Amino acid sequence: LERLRSIDHEGLQALAEAADTDLKEVNTYILGFVLGPCFNAAGRLSSAKKTVELLFAKGQEAKSLARALYELNQERKELTDEGIALAVADIEEKKKEKEKLLVVHLPEVHESLAGIIAGRLKERYYRPSIVFTTTEKGLKGSGRSIEEYNMAKELQGVKNHLAKFGGHPMAAGMTLKEGALKAFEEELLQRCALPKELLPTKRIDAKLSPFDIDESFVRALEKLEPFGVQNPKPLFAEKDLLISQVYLMGKNKDHMKLLFQEGPHRIEAVYFNGVPKMEAYLLEQGILLPEDLRGMLLGKRCDVLYHPGLNTYQGVTKVQIILEDFRWS
């Protein structure tokens, strides 16, 4: 990361510009969730050669390739959102949301998106999720799991339905034998020992007012990076925060920015995919979805789980928080 911040590389610089970010500020988030997906999108929807070409390109060619990769990733995001909507509609139409695990077949969806969609289903329903797509070689699937369910081990028990498979406890890939989808799903469900009522748990590191956080504290946390399964990002909680402003962001207006205020103190909170998450939460509470979600939130108090972060805009850096979860106070 230190080398990337000072690297003189036209292809990477062009990609950072196309993605509206700055290599001088690169961190694990920008690498993993902004630039990395642009590299991956080429291999998913086109050819990974485009990424290699970018790394050797200069001048106008670098700018042109970078823009093409960025736009491919935007297309990948749109296709993913469409696939998720199809999967959710299928699950709810068939009333599968309370099943111990979810198996979905999306024949129209590109095979390279199955794993991303499975991951999002796992987060939404807190169930092991497997998404199959139709390919020239038959039904190919990608699964994402939860800590309570060893997916690789469970697939061993139903391998008679699989042409090939591989993976680890939290994720797997597989190809079904012809005509085996129904039997595969039924046997996997029959073998599943998970309870029907599954509740995800979040472990917090501390209760901490976001108004007490400064830049030096966030910089100190960054020294613990990179974060991952064995080194989770520090997670904080606070109760009774007053929502003074609400903005909807993103092309489809599905992300949220909330402004919390207490006296003279103010801090911005970003909630990625906050609109669908908030709508799902309201429905769980038995609350009819309002026409004006923003208006409903204004002036309300909430409890949040969050990660601290920094936002640099036009040379000015300020603390913001990234919401992990939300509930009414």
Side-chain angles (χ1 to χ4, degrees):
L1 287 171
E2 288 294 337
R3 290 181 66 187
L4 273 176
R5 289 178 190 132
S6 58
I7 199 169
D8 182 20
H9 189 290
E10 291 190 43
L12 289 175
Q13 294 284 4
L15 185 61
E17 286 174 22
D20 197 25
T21 189
D22 187 346
L23 276 187
K24 292 185 178 67
E25 299 289 332
V26 75
N27 54 28
T28 54
Y29 175 81
I30 290 172
L31 201 58
F33 293 94
V34 180
L35 302 181
C38 292
F39 284 170
N40 286 346
R44 288 182 188 277
L45 301 184
S46 176
S47 165
K49 288 179 183 177
K50 280 188 167 63
T51 298
V52 180
E53 287 166 3
L54 175 73
L55 294 176
F56 288 93
K58 297 186 182 300
Q60 193 55 45
E61 185 193 5
K63 290 181 185 295
S64 176
L65 279 167
R67 173 53 56 180
L69 284 177
Y70 175 76
E71 288 175 357
L72 259 181
N73 190 47
Q74 295 304 108
E75 182 186 351
R76 190 271 310 163
K77 286 182 182 178
E78 289 177 14
L79 290 172
T80 301
D81 288 343
E82 290 169 12
I84 291 163
L86 286 170
V88 169
D90 182 71
I91 288 165
E92 295 184 356
E93 181 186 331
K94 295 174 180 173
K95 303 196 183 314
K96 284 184 171 183
E97 57 266 36
K98 294 297 183 185
E99 296 280 12
K100 294 178 181 180
L101 59 87
L102 300 171
V103 177
V104 180
H105 178 210
L106 303 175
E108 307 91 351
V109 171
H110 195 283
E111 64 180 280
S112 67
L113 304 178
I116 305 173
I117 296 168
R120 294 281 283 277
L121 293 178
K122 177 204 76 170
E123 290 168 9
R124 181 178 181 126
Y125 297 104
Y126 199 68
R127 299 284 189 278
S129 301
I130 299 173
V131 173
F132 285 101
T133 58
T134 301
T135 76
E136 291 176 359
K137 297 179 180 178
L139 296 193
K140 287 180 71 174
S142 191
R144 298 294 181 268
S145 196
I146 58 177
E147 287 186 11
E148 298 92 330
Y149 187 85
N150 184 328
M151 186 166 281
K153 182 181 175 184
E154 293 299 326
L155 287 176
Q156 282 283 352
V158 292
K159 64 183 180 182
N160 56 307
H161 301 300
L162 298 169
K164 58 180 180 178
F165 67 99
H168 55 81
M170 299 299 285
M174 66 215 76
T175 303
L176 273 177
K177 291 179 180 176
E178 193 171 342
L181 179 60
K182 191 170 187 293
F184 168 83
E185 181 178 3
E186 287 175 355
E187 193 170 336
L188 206 57
L189 272 167
Q190 189 179 345
R191 292 174 51 86
C192 183
L194 290 171
K196 279 212 168 184
E197 290 301 320
L198 277 167
L199 288 174
T201 57
K202 305 267 188 188
R203 296 184 179 276
I204 66 164
D205 290 279
K207 181 177 182 293
L208 176 68
S209 168
F211 303 116
D212 292 339
I213 296 171
D214 59 17
E215 184 177 344
S216 64
F217 177 75
V218 182
R219 297 286 185 200
L221 289 182
E222 286 176 354
K223 295 184 186 303
L224 302 174
E225 292 183 351
F227 299 121
V229 173
Q230 299 300 324
N231 181 34
K233 185 182 289 191
L235 182 64
F236 300 98
E238 183 57 307
K239 293 184 173 183
D240 207 35
L241 292 172
L242 177 67
I243 303 170
S244 64
Q245 289 182 44
V246 181
Y247 306 93
L248 302 185
M249 307 184 302
K251 183 178 179 181
N252 300 318
K253 302 295 182 189
D254 48 4
H255 307 304
M256 302 181 80
K257 183 185 283 184
L258 307 175
L259 189 70
F260 296 131
Q261 188 160 358
E262 208 63 64
H265 304 293
R266 306 168 76 186
I267 192 162
E268 286 183 351
V270 177
Y271 198 13
F272 292 113
N273 294 301
V275 171
K277 288 177 182 175
M278 194 76 75
E279 288 175 347
Y281 171 71
L282 292 175
L283 289 171
E284 281 174 15
Q285 302 298 306
I287 299 170
L288 289 175
L289 294 181
E291 287 186 18
D292 181 15
L293 185 60
R294 291 174 65 252
M296 182 183 190
L297 293 170
L298 282 173
K300 297 286 198 311
R301 289 189 174 270
C302 62
D303 305 336
V304 297
L305 301 184
Y306 69 90
H307 307 286
L310 298 173
N311 182 31
T312 301
Y313 181 67
Q314 294 184 340
V316 178
T317 298
K318 60 181 181 181
V319 173
Q320 67 176 16
I321 62 174
I322 311 298
L323 296 191
E324 181 77 19
D325 210 346
F326 167 103
R327 71 180 184 198
W328 300 123
S329 290

